Amino acid sequence: MQTRRASHHVSAQTTVFCTAITLRTVVTKVWKDVFLGKLDIRLLVDSPELVHTERLKSVKMTLKKLTFVTGNPMKVSEVRAILGNANIEIVNQDLDVPELQGTTEEIAKEKCRRAAEILQGPCITEDTALCFEALNGLPGPYIKFFLKELGLEGLNTLLVGFPTTAAYALCTFAYSAGPGTEPILFEGRTDGKIVPPRGVSKFGWNPVFEVNGTGKTFAEMSEEEKNAISHRGRALEKLTAFLRTQAVQA
Ligand SMILES: O=c1nc[nH]c2c1ncn2[C@H]1C[C@H](O)[C@@H](COP(=O)(O)OP(=O)(O)OP(=O)(O)O)O1
Ligand SMILES: [Mg+2]
């Protein structure tokens, strides 16, 4: 009787001990993933039950690869730099997707819809507009053609005689879950003004856009400085927040 009670006691102790060890192993694994950048810590806060290994696997798979359809390598390199180790791998597909005329929203949605149809799978696309307040938002999504035809100086000349050179950069990411689904938009905006070109001209209209409160054009900033306050950085914050909610539901 005594022996039985003792063994009962030992087995209860063993169970507690084993449970503690299992719990410690799981917790250690989760923190290791967080430190290695394989797992976003915010996922744990959003959904504590994610500690389950299978859920972790599915989250990692959902977030892993995203096809970014763009013909602009500068966009790809900025997006990769901004996402850093957010556990999203950007795969670039340089497809020539037609951009229809319309508002930034209409252009962004239609481009993404068509890209998803061509790819027959999920993807993101991005449209960048540069909007002049004096011109009620123009050139807006047509900035690419204005820049090409008028050059950096010409963008300044365009505003001669107008009372303000105020402008804003608007970035619109579109996400499609696949062909036949309605793309979802994520916008980011940075305010500034159009100035004569300053800084190293590596990317589009960077040298003529001075960001409010910084005294610098985008072309005078380091990549990190630009990405921290840029239209693209702000739009990507919203896109990544959305992708996290998608992953939790997956
Ligand atoms: O952060 C930027 N800083 C300076 N210039 C920028 C930026 N982001 C886009 N840009 C330029 C590229 C293009 O001249 C126009 C946007 O046109 P947009 O149609 O969105 O880009 P795109 O045709 O080069 O690439 P895509 O294949 O993704 O449509 O503004
Ligand atoms: Mg384009």
Side-chain angles (χ1 to χ4, degrees):
M1 189 66 185
Q2 240 179 0
T3 325
R4 237 186 175 192
R5 205 180 287 143
S7 81
H8 207 79
H9 190 61
V10 168
S11 108
Q13 257 184 348
T14 312
T15 312
V16 170
F17 182 69
C18 287
T19 311
I21 291 286
T22 313
L23 207 61
R24 211 191 71 161
T25 313
V26 170
V27 169
T28 310
K29 162 104 181 71
V30 168
W31 282 110
K32 207 170 130 207
D33 279 351
V34 169
F35 277 115
L36 290 176
K38 287 193 215 158
L39 173 68
D40 190 321
I41 191 165
R42 281 161 293 193
L43 287 171
L44 296 176
V45 180
D46 287 349
S47 178
E49 74 274 17
L50 278 176
V51 172
H52 193 286
T53 317
E54 287 311 307
R55 288 295 293 277
L56 286 182
K57 270 189 201 147
S58 87
V59 166
K60 274 160 63 184
M61 273 172 61
T62 315
L63 287 183
K64 194 114 200 232
K65 268 191 191 173
L66 207 49
T67 303
F68 182 17
V69 177
T70 177
N72 191 322
M74 289 303 290
K75 285 187 181 179
V76 178
S77 86
E78 281 195 6
V79 168
R80 285 194 177 130
I82 294 168
L83 291 180
N85 66 354
N87 201 29
I88 301 171
E89 184 190 337
I90 291 294
V91 180
N92 178 218
Q93 282 264 358
D94 179 1
L95 298 177
D96 191 14
V97 189
E99 288 173 24
L100 295 191
Q101 288 192 9
T103 63
T104 51
E105 289 94 341
E106 287 161 351
I107 295 171
K109 275 194 180 175
E110 191 56 25
K111 180 160 127 187
C112 194
R113 221 177 261 132
R114 288 177 181 224
E117 264 161 34
I118 297 170
L119 282 179
Q120 284 296 302
C123 65
I124 54 168
T125 54
E126 190 252 71
D127 285 277
T128 301
L130 189 62
C131 309
F132 296 176
E133 264 166 37
L135 304 181
N136 285 333
L138 288 172
Y142 309 108
I143 182 60
K144 184 174 182 172
F145 308 101
F146 278 68
L147 179 61
K148 186 163 167 262
E149 299 304 328
L150 307 179
L152 294 170
E153 296 289 349
L155 293 180
N156 275 267
T157 316
L158 208 56
L159 287 170
V160 170
F162 283 96
T164 175
T165 57
Y168 58 92
L170 184 67
C171 177
T172 310
F173 272 93
Y175 168 80
S176 165
T181 64
E182 181 71 357
I184 307 169
L185 302 184
F186 306 88
E187 284 185 345
R189 171 177 167 158
T190 299
D191 287 83
K193 62 180 177 184
I194 302 302
V195 296
R198 295 198 319 258
V200 191
S201 179
K202 278 199 268 178
F203 186 11
W205 38 262
N206 268 352
V208 296
F209 186 73
E210 183 185 307
V211 181
N212 284 353
T214 68
K216 288 185 186 179
T217 66
F218 270 152
E220 293 174 309
M221 296 180 188
S222 67
E223 277 173 29
E224 294 75 26
E225 263 180 292
K226 179 188 173 188
N227 293 341
I229 56 165
S230 78
H231 45 304
R232 184 162 292 108
R234 288 173 180 161
L236 281 174
E237 266 174 38
K238 295 181 188 171
L239 175 67
T240 48
F242 165 78
L243 289 173
R244 274 197 295 273
T245 66
Q246 288 298 99
V248 168
Q249 281 158 20

